[in-house]
Amino acid sequence: MGIRRRLRAEVKRIDGLQAAREGRWQAARDDLTLALESLTAEGLSAEVPKVLEPLVTACMMAGLLDEAERRAVDFRAWAADHGDPEDRATAIGKYGEVVAQIGRLVEAAEAFREALVALGEPADETGGELRWSLLSNLGSALAHAGRFGEAEQVQHRAFEVARELDSAARAALAASQLSLAANGVGHRERALEWAEVAHRCVRSDDDDLVVAEVEGNRALALSRAGHTAEAEEAMERAWAAARSIPLIAQQARVTKLEVLSRAGRHDEAVALADALLAALPPGQARQRAVALNLRAGIRLQAGRPAEAVADLLSALELKQRVDDHRGMATGHLNLAHAFLGTGDLPAARHHARRAQELWEPLLRAASDEAGSVGLFDTHATALTQVAQELRLGVDDVTGALEAAERGRSGPLSERIRAARPARSQVPAEPPGSERMRRLARRMGATLLVYAPHFEIEAVSGQAPLLREIHMWVVTPGGGVHHEVQREVSDDDRLDEARPVDLLDAVRQLERQVGDEALMAGWSDALLGKVAHLLPSGPDARLVIVPQRGLWSVPFAALPVAGEPLVSRCSLTMVPSLHALELIAHEDVWRGEAAAGSSGALVVGGVRDAVVPTPDGRLLPLSDLPLTLETARAVARVHRASALAGPAATVPAVLDRMGSADLLHFSCHAVLDARLRLDQLPGCIALTPAGAEHGQLTSTLLASTPTRARIAVLGCCATGQGLVTADGVLGLARTFLIAGVSTVVATLWEVPEEPTHDALVCFHQELARTDDPAEALRRAVLMTRRKWRAPEIWAAFTLIGSPGPRRGEE
């Protein structure tokens, strides 16, 4: 009898494995279950893992998650008693896969970490493949849990392991997960770059699972980047590959649902959501919640908020069942938004409060810059938009302004506060209206605060589509004024398809700054209703607090009464009023070097600069001959010597940066050549020295304390970066984190000659006036007289503080 059972077990095991290879997961589950029963009856514990591991996979792929979890627990128990390190790692990792599918993402991440520890350093290729699998699954769980920076780090390790294994399929899957992580932080361009890397790695003989995941994630990246037709094509390829695998087919349906929703094909999307919800087993809480959220979003867009509320309540219950705190926070946020639509303000307040309570500990637990900013970004815009609408609903204009400020005062404010000891005297919480009034008076500046309101997406909370723009003006005399612009522009080219994608619209503006009609349209939208409140005349100061895509608007060139805005007042951009308040607490600019300082640190004339590429190569950059002359001219203004040519190395700059009271760089800069989001983006390319390739990274800059109050970045597009609710992740932000009060940067690339003239003039005016904002205004106007095209002079911007306080305390 024992021999017959053994033979039966082996036959059923082989049949089950064959069924799995063919994608017949229910049949695989049935055959492998019979094989396991036969082995158990014979007490053949050593043979159990040959059946348990594929059985867990078969149950999971067939959508039988409760059974998959029971089998995974059995497998883990067996491995703990009988297995070697690889067996234990496999069993723990398989358990992590199951609970991740169920929706218990934090528990899944802990399981994958435990499995990696159990595996240790793999001794052979099989162990290397297992290590890749565990890293890939860990990164995926972290990304879905909202821990984006950690997800980036882990998926980069998975990508490198795949390349070491020479496995294009594994590299494709890792790159695909990196695309998801980038989407989680809201970086659509970076997500699309990684999606295309994954797409290029896929080969014609790859199995359906690889094709389905890579093309599905690529469809999401294309859809979120606005490439609707290409997204639908990728989605069809993903669907064709996934339809024979129940679990993957369900995931593909969820992706297809989002793509259809974004494409505006609402009837098809609702029908697909209904079919998906009818087919999904009750145990698949995460997938059901996503489908319900998507259907709710469609119903909100269709003006059916009551039906949307029912879906959102069901989705929230599913998230609560698996203790998904991030999902619960998003669920409460969605409900607050929906109840606003129904006019039930008490319910909206309740859910907004619950969302805030759940988000705060998640933000505190974020372990890195990308993670904290990513989490802040996914909730701050939507949550504070709800808070503003609740305040404006009862005509509380100042309360709405305070809510807007809370929505932009995030991780960056904390980093700025920690950069200098004296700033600890400023309250950690964002300013209320009275502190804002005092700040305007103290700075002698008019504060112009923008808060774009968006069409909130019901799944991610990301909000690319603009509905209207709210703006507040706080005058030095203490007045607070509110206006709302419900049309983007009177210019048809800005108002072709409401609602518009704000970031795409701003990019169009950047490409056509010289188009007078386009600029007039933007001026009407952003300044028209507040033009009578804007300062004008000698020493007039305007501090602009933009949000999201508005960071890239060249405000200096927007026409007011026939002249560019910069001709009537100096302009400063700040990420939040809290950040300005922190900086202004001790804001002093002295033309003379302070005691113990090394004066100005001026860098230019870099030679042989290189930048790393994603595949590990070093890409040479062109020399910038005029930067040597710029550096020498700036150094003469400040009676300093320039670090130039072979002397302009990373160690030399870091050695002097801590004691310098002014920083100036005239050289190449790049935002993120390595496609990384787990690190502060950006680097300045200096002269290579020995084994050091000359990369003065943002990570190095932010970790080097400096006493400098001003940094001038005469580099390429240093005002750009990843646009978030917490400001722009780029080089300018890095210098603010390092403790610098004021950063001069450019919004796009400017030719060398006008850059030279503008920056030398700026330093001359700075030495004469001790006023950075006014010095830049004069430099821009001088540049405009020589080069009339706004493509030249409108790029220069000042970020941070306009200069020392000038009003009364």
Side-chain angles (χ1 to χ4, degrees), residues 29-117:
R29 174 260 180 196
D30 295 342
D31 286 335
L32 291 168
T33 298
L34 291 172
L36 180 63
E37 290 172 354
S38 297
L39 290 175
T40 302
E42 286 298 306
L44 298 173
S45 60
E47 302 295 316
V48 163
K50 295 180 181 179
V51 176
L52 262 180
E53 181 184 359
L55 177 57
V56 173
T57 300
C59 291
M60 186 167 55
M61 300 301 281
L64 306 173
L65 295 184
D66 289 342
E67 182 178 348
E69 184 176 8
R70 291 197 303 273
R71 298 301 189 186
V73 170
D74 292 341
F75 187 20
R76 189 170 179 173
W78 174 90
D81 293 336
H82 306 286
D84 60 19
E86 195 168 303
D87 289 331
R88 290 194 292 274
T90 300
I92 298 167
K94 191 60 67 175
Y95 175 81
E97 290 179 37
V98 175
V99 295
Q101 286 297 330
I102 292 171
R104 305 200 310 259
L105 297 167
V106 174
E107 182 182 352
E110 292 171 353
F112 294 131
R113 291 191 194 280
E114 183 183 347
L116 285 164
V117 172

Side-chain angles (χ1 to χ4, degrees), residues 299-318:
R299 287 174 166 173
L300 282 173
Q301 292 174 28
R304 294 151 59 188
E307 294 177 49
V309 165
D311 279 345
L312 292 171
L313 286 170
S314 297
L316 178 60
E317 182 182 353
L318 290 168

Side-chain angles (χ1 to χ4, degrees), residues 341-385:
T342 67
D344 188 344
L345 299 189
R349 289 191 190 94
H350 165 74
H351 287 287
R353 184 168 57 251
R354 286 293 296 128
Q356 185 68 45
E357 291 169 354
L358 286 162
W359 274 115
E360 287 176 352
L362 288 171
L363 283 169
R364 287 195 297 270
S367 60
D368 51 63
E369 185 82 358
S372 60
V373 173
L375 281 169
F376 184 80
D377 199 44
T378 57
H379 92 282
T381 299
L383 186 57
T384 57
Q385 180 172 313

Side-chain angles (χ1 to χ4, degrees), residues 1 46 84 112 132 285 301 411 437 445 448 533 677 705 771 777 789:
M1 191 68 179
D84 60 19
F112 294 131
W132 171 85
Q301 292 174 28
R437 290 185 175 99
L448 175 55
L533 298 169
L677 288 174
D771 187 328
R777 187 182 81 89

Side-chain angles (χ1 to χ4, degrees), residues 405 408-409 412-413 416 439 443 445-450 542-548 550-551 555 571-584 587 724-728 732-733 736 741-743 773 797-803:
E405 174 65 13
R408 70 182 87 235
S409 181
L412 177 58
S413 293
I416 289 174
L439 179 63
M443 300 300 295
T446 298
L447 312 178
L448 175 55
V449 181
Y450 288 100
L542 179 64
V543 175
I544 300 172
V545 189
Q547 196 169 33
R548 293 197 175 272
L550 298 182
W551 270 101
F555 280 92
L571 306 175
T572 305
M573 308 276 275
V574 294
S576 68
L577 293 179
H578 195 202
L580 178 61
E581 184 184 39
L582 288 161
I583 293 169
D587 188 26
T724 76
D726 196 43
V728 180
R733 176 192 182 95
L736 294 177
S741 298
T742 303
V743 180
T797 187
L798 190 141
I799 302 169
S801 168

Side-chain angles (χ1 to χ4, degrees), residues 85 93 97 187 281 307 389 417 425 449 591 651 688:
E97 290 179 37
H187 199 326
E307 294 177 49
E389 291 175 359
R417 189 169 188 266
Q425 300 173 38
V449 181

Side-chain angles (χ1 to χ4, degrees), residues 625-694:
L626 198 55
T627 61
L628 178 59
E629 183 180 338
T630 304
R632 287 172 173 168
V634 170
R636 285 195 295 272
V637 170
H638 298 290
R639 301 176 183 176
S641 59
L643 277 179
T649 64
V650 170
V653 169
L654 293 179
D655 182 59
R656 290 180 52 182
M657 202 174 115
S659 59
D661 51 24
L662 178 144
L663 307 173
H664 176 100
F665 294 89
S666 286
C667 44
H668 280 293
V670 292
L671 280 177
D672 193 359
R674 294 184 181 274
L675 307 183
R676 298 298 291 262
L677 288 174
D678 58 316
Q679 301 169 355
L680 288 168
C683 70
I684 296 172
L686 301 180
T687 302
E692 201 279 314
H693 298 305

